[in-house]
Amino acid sequence: MTAATRALPFPRRSLRGWMQAADVRWAYVALLVALLPLFGQSFHYVKLLKPAWALSKAFPLLSLPLCLILFAGRRPEGSRQMVVTILWLVLVPTFISLFTFQQTFFIALASQLKLLPLLYIFSLLGLLRWLRPTLREIDAAFLICAVVTFVLLLAIWRLAPQSAYAEHYVAGDSPLLSADARGNRIRMPMYFGLIGILYAWRRFTARWQPRWFAAWGAGFAMVFGLVRMRTFVLGVTLMAAINGFLAAGPRLRLLMLALIPFALAALFSVPFMASIFSTDKAFAFDVRYISTMKAIGFLGTDPFRWIFGVGTISPIDPAGLMTYFNHFFFLGDITWMGIIFEYGIIGALLIAAVPLRGVLLMDSARRLHDTPFLAALRDYLVYSLLISEMLPMTLAPGEITSIMAIALYARELPAAGGRRR
């Protein structure tokens, strides 16, 4: 430490020392902070922010030229699988829906635009190969996005008046602020926030430091109390239990096994979590049940429909599938049954294979760089599989493929994790 540094006031000195110790190029981090939310589909369903929402919808095509950078290097592992998956899921249901729902080709093709973020495995990898950031810089960008997510969540909670919480809204719409049977809810995009929670838990189980448990607890409490989405709460709880059990010693594992019944009882004693098992109309059980029965009935006994699916109706159609089913019929609500309805069993297997391939790629990357950040990204892939019965993977596939791109890029970095020049 120089004499000039010692002369600095303590807060300024500590900030400067932290930035120097971080060993990152902050201009690169700032660029990643600006772009990663688009790759992570953070604004994809936030219609309140129309410019960001429109940009998110168009970003798969706007970022497509970045894929050209990949031609200058070696072919990414798994690229053949992803190309086949994208072509099958986009084209096969499109052609089938021409006959099932009597649509024109281009209108039918519009219904598969939701799958275009699968291309982020190529475009984000192209961006990373072009910028050549270190893993530490990618880590810093993700954690900054996570912190910003929770700061915004707290700010909205503190500043939004009760009148801003929508009590009545159109079926299929998801306002940012809503008040329903679960109470006041803030439907924040939580991709980076959840990765931040998983990261804090990985840091905690690495050395069992209380400060990381406090960070995990603070993030979990905000998701539990403010977002109040059962899928998030249950998924994060499962990942904490799994990773905690794997990291614990034999005695602690026995203690954890003994505490599991009490933890489950405490979790599901909360009314909005207990509603997972509720058949009350307020929690849309009847909508999901009727939709499932109608989907099964429409597929019928024709094996072709079960194997290849029947496609769907383009969102351009204002009535959508309700034209055929005379019911609030949303395939996303019935998760895997909805995926089989639209893409068939073959399509469902192709979709499930994407995060599974991501786990294998991340395991390979972690053999070179065993960092808590890569471990947290792997946890998110496992998390997406665990919650897929409640939240379909087709809703935001860019979340998964962005992580796969980072795994592929990490495999190309030197084992020491040094900066590529």
Side-chain angles (χ1 to χ4, degrees):
M1 183 180 295
T2 65
T5 303
R6 285 194 297 269
L8 291 172
F10 177 74
R12 185 179 172 187
R13 179 177 60 188
S14 61
L15 176 61
R16 181 178 177 182
W18 177 82
M19 293 184 70
Q20 290 175 342
D23 188 27
V24 299
R25 296 166 293 181
W26 290 105
Y28 281 51
V29 173
L31 182 59
L32 289 173
V33 168
L35 293 178
L36 283 175
L38 292 170
F39 284 109
Q41 294 187 254
S42 294
F43 306 108
H44 217 67
Y45 300 101
V46 185
K47 295 182 180 179
L48 186 65
L49 303 174
K50 287 292 178 64
W53 173 79
L55 178 59
S56 182
K57 294 291 186 180
F59 198 67
L61 296 178
L62 294 176
S63 62
L64 197 57
L66 291 169
C67 300
L68 299 175
I69 298 174
L70 301 182
F71 288 101
R74 62 182 181 181
R75 189 184 71 189
E77 183 179 336
S79 59
R80 186 179 293 113
Q81 173 189 338
M82 291 304 301
V83 169
V84 170
T85 297
I86 293 169
L87 290 177
W88 181 280
L89 294 178
V90 171
L91 295 179
V92 172
T94 296
F95 280 109
I96 291 176
S97 65
L98 298 180
F99 305 99
T100 308
F101 300 113
Q102 291 77 50
Q103 299 180 96
T104 64
F105 176 78
F106 289 104
I107 291 180
L109 186 64
S111 65
Q112 302 307 329
L113 293 179
K114 61 181 178 289
L115 294 178
L116 287 183
L118 288 170
L119 293 167
Y120 289 159
I121 187 174
F122 301 121
S123 53
L124 179 55
L125 179 59
L127 176 68
L128 294 175
R129 282 187 179 181
W130 179 38
L131 293 178
R132 297 185 177 181
T134 63
L135 280 181
R136 190 182 294 272
E137 288 162 350
I138 302 173
D139 182 348
F142 263 82
L143 294 181
I144 289 172
C145 288
V147 171
V148 169
T149 297
F150 286 115
V151 169
L152 288 175
L153 185 62
L154 283 174
I156 292 172
W157 172 63
R158 290 294 298 172
L159 299 176
Q162 183 61 39
S163 59
Y165 290 85
E167 297 183 8
H168 306 285
Y169 46 89
V170 179
D173 196 8
S174 297
L176 180 63
L177 302 175
S178 66
D180 52 31
R182 306 182 208 178
N184 287 349
R185 300 173 59 194
I186 304 174
R187 300 170 184 263
M188 276 283 291
M190 292 302 298
Y191 175 58
F192 294 100
L194 294 177
I195 289 176
I197 292 174
L198 296 172
Y199 174 83
W201 188 256
R202 279 287 187 172
R203 293 297 301 266
F204 170 64
T205 55
R207 296 185 179 178
W208 305 101
Q209 295 176 326
R211 61 192 178 104
W212 286 109
F213 180 79
W216 178 88
F220 181 83
M222 281 187 273
V223 172
F224 190 91
L226 304 182
V227 181
R228 303 177 74 84
M229 189 165 178
R230 297 167 301 189
T231 306
F232 292 166
V233 172
L234 191 58
V236 169
T237 302
L238 286 173
M239 290 309 305
I242 292 170
N243 289 330
F245 186 82
L246 293 175
R251 292 183 179 178
L252 186 54
R253 287 182 179 179
L254 289 175
L255 178 62
M256 291 175 67
L257 288 174
L259 292 176
I260 283 177
F262 300 98
L264 289 175
L267 182 64
F268 291 111
S269 65
V270 179
F272 86 87
M273 288 302 299
S275 66
I276 289 178
F277 309 105
S278 175
T279 59
D280 194 295
K281 186 178 296 186
F283 298 101
F285 173 83
D286 58 331
V287 174
R288 293 185 179 91
Y289 176 78
I290 295 173
S291 296
T292 301
M293 293 299 101
K294 285 182 176 288
I296 293 173
F298 193 80
L299 293 176
T301 58
D302 186 346
F304 181 90
R305 289 191 168 195
W306 283 91
I307 294 172
F308 297 100
V310 295
T312 188
I313 292 180
S314 171
I316 297 174
D317 187 326
L321 289 166
M322 285 187 282
T323 304
Y324 283 78
F325 296 98
N326 192 29
H327 169 72
F328 288 133
F329 191 86
F330 302 103
L331 296 178
D333 286 346
I334 53 177
T335 57
W336 282 111
M337 188 64 240
I339 290 174
I340 292 174
F341 179 92
E342 187 171 358
Y343 303 103
I345 293 173
I346 293 177
L349 292 174
L350 289 173
I351 291 169
V354 172
L356 288 173
R357 185 59 175 262
V359 170
L360 295 177
L361 291 173
M362 192 59 75
D363 285 340
S364 176
R366 290 184 64 207
R367 284 193 284 271
L368 292 173
H369 318 277
D370 191 10
T371 68
F373 170 63
L374 292 183
L377 294 185
R378 182 190 185 278
D379 289 343
Y380 193 87
L381 294 174
V382 177
Y383 158 89
S384 68
L385 285 165
L386 290 177
I387 67 166
S388 61
E389 182 49 40
M390 296 180 286
L391 198 67
M393 295 181 186
T394 53
L395 197 63
E399 297 179 349
I400 295 171
T401 51
S402 294
I403 292 176
M404 294 174 69
I406 294 172
L408 287 168
Y409 177 71
R411 286 158 45 96
E412 299 172 4
L413 292 175
R419 181 177 296 148
R420 297 183 57 180
R421 298 289 185 184

